[in-house]
Amino acid sequence: MMQSQQSRVLVQLRDLILKGAFSPGERLAEIPLAERLESSRTPVRLALATLEHEGLIEPLAGGGYQMRRFTAQEVADAIEVRGMLEGMAARLLAERGASRQLMREFEECLEQGDEAVNKPTMDLDDYAIYQEMNNRFHELLVQGCGNSALIRTMDTLNGLPFAAASATLPMQSAYNEEGHQWMRYAHRQHHGIIDGIRRNQGARVQALAQEHVQIARMNVDEALERPERVADVLPGIRLMAEVGRLPRP
């Protein structure tokens, strides 16, 4: 029971952080957090220790923890590493071959994404459907490659601000037609990756997966330059320490 409660508290607290519920420098006290999460103090204490290890929060000199800031360089590094990892995962799938079941699940993702983006305009339900599909697509890509070290590394990376596959997707709903077009482009890349896996084109899918993350970099660029435009849909932008474009490789 304690283990399941600890896991629940960790997930809830990480989610609050990534959604911008705490301001940089804000003290994270055990008792208020336990009350907010309807938990005892022990799971909160353990969750805070885990989040410090993950790099999401930092210790205070007198004890306890505070919310930390993240630089544009840290965000750029995290997004670039995700591209490298997903590129490797895609290449492994292409070179080793994907199971029929996995390919069927990929095809279901592609069809679901097609229904969401291939229309004159997208409403909020369409954006939600696309985000759910996108999460599933990237999960299948990583979990399906069979490399346990890569999977563990990706799990850690997904816990960092703006690093997860769908972390910046909510921004697209704030950009109307422009956001719609970028989602169409991203989904064409999904099609290209699956086509390359089917054809055993390792180098092609690796390059496509690495290029795919550049949309996330672009999204964060826009959020940094015009934070007021995306504050409602991407509140985690408050965690960023500086305004300006992400450094390019």
Side-chain angles (χ1 to χ4, degrees):
M1 180 64 178
M2 177 60 74
Q3 182 63 38
S4 62
Q5 186 182 32
Q6 180 182 337
S7 299
R8 177 181 62 81
V9 168
L10 177 60
V11 169
Q12 287 179 307
L13 191 50
R14 187 189 291 116
D15 187 59
L16 285 171
I17 289 172
L18 296 180
K19 288 180 177 176
F22 308 106
S23 300
E26 181 176 344
R27 186 170 184 271
L28 303 174
E30 286 181 17
I31 295 177
L33 286 175
E35 293 174 351
R36 182 171 184 170
L37 300 176
E38 299 180 347
S39 166
S40 61
R41 292 179 62 181
T42 299
V44 171
R45 185 182 308 118
L46 295 171
L48 290 170
T50 299
L51 294 170
E52 181 199 0
H53 178 73
E54 293 177 358
L56 279 176
I57 62 177
E58 56 191 6
L60 288 166
Y65 300 93
Q66 69 178 6
M67 191 62 233
R68 60 164 295 204
R69 288 184 180 274
F70 292 84
T71 67
Q73 182 64 59
E74 288 177 297
V75 173
D77 290 345
I79 292 173
E80 183 177 357
V81 170
R82 179 164 68 81
M84 297 293 290
L85 290 173
E86 291 187 338
M88 179 180 174
R91 182 165 193 149
L92 287 172
L93 277 171
E95 293 178 347
R96 297 175 179 177
S99 69
R100 291 182 179 178
Q101 176 60 32
L102 181 58
M103 293 305 294
R104 279 195 295 269
E105 292 184 73
F106 275 129
E107 289 295 339
E108 289 174 2
C109 286
L110 296 181
E111 291 172 6
Q112 190 175 23
D114 288 340
E115 291 178 5
V117 303
N118 293 333
K119 53 180 58 178
T121 60
M122 292 176 65
D123 58 28
L124 290 178
D125 286 340
D126 293 322
Y127 285 110
I129 289 169
Y130 185 88
Q131 181 167 331
E132 180 181 346
M133 177 283 302
N134 192 64
N135 285 332
R136 180 61 176 156
F137 180 94
H138 288 271
E139 178 185 12
L140 289 171
L141 188 65
V142 172
Q143 296 292 328
C145 80
N147 186 307
S148 59
L150 187 154
I151 293 168
R152 287 195 299 271
T153 304
M154 186 63 81
D155 284 342
T156 299
L157 194 68
N158 283 337
L160 298 178
F162 311 109
S166 294
T168 64
L169 274 183
M171 282 182 56
Q172 305 295 357
S173 63
Y175 291 153
N176 300 321
E177 181 58 26
E178 181 184 355
H180 186 182
Q181 293 303 320
W182 276 112
M183 292 181 83
R184 280 183 174 173
Y185 176 69
H187 197 53
R188 286 199 297 270
Q189 290 180 323
H190 289 154
H191 276 276
I193 290 169
I194 300 309
D195 181 67
I197 290 174
R198 187 182 295 108
R199 297 172 185 271
N200 305 112
Q201 297 170 330
R204 176 192 173 200
V205 297
Q206 183 172 20
L208 279 170
Q210 290 178 223
E211 175 63 25
H212 189 56
V213 301
Q214 297 308 313
I215 297 176
R217 290 176 64 105
M218 177 202 70
N219 284 341
V220 179
D221 262 351
E222 294 295 323
L224 287 170
E225 290 190 349
R226 292 181 286 180
E228 72 287 345
R229 188 177 181 185
V230 299
D232 290 340
V233 294
L234 200 68
I237 197 68
R238 299 166 61 202
L239 300 177
M240 293 293 292
E242 56 197 65
V243 175
R245 286 192 171 275
L246 293 183
R248 293 297 176 183

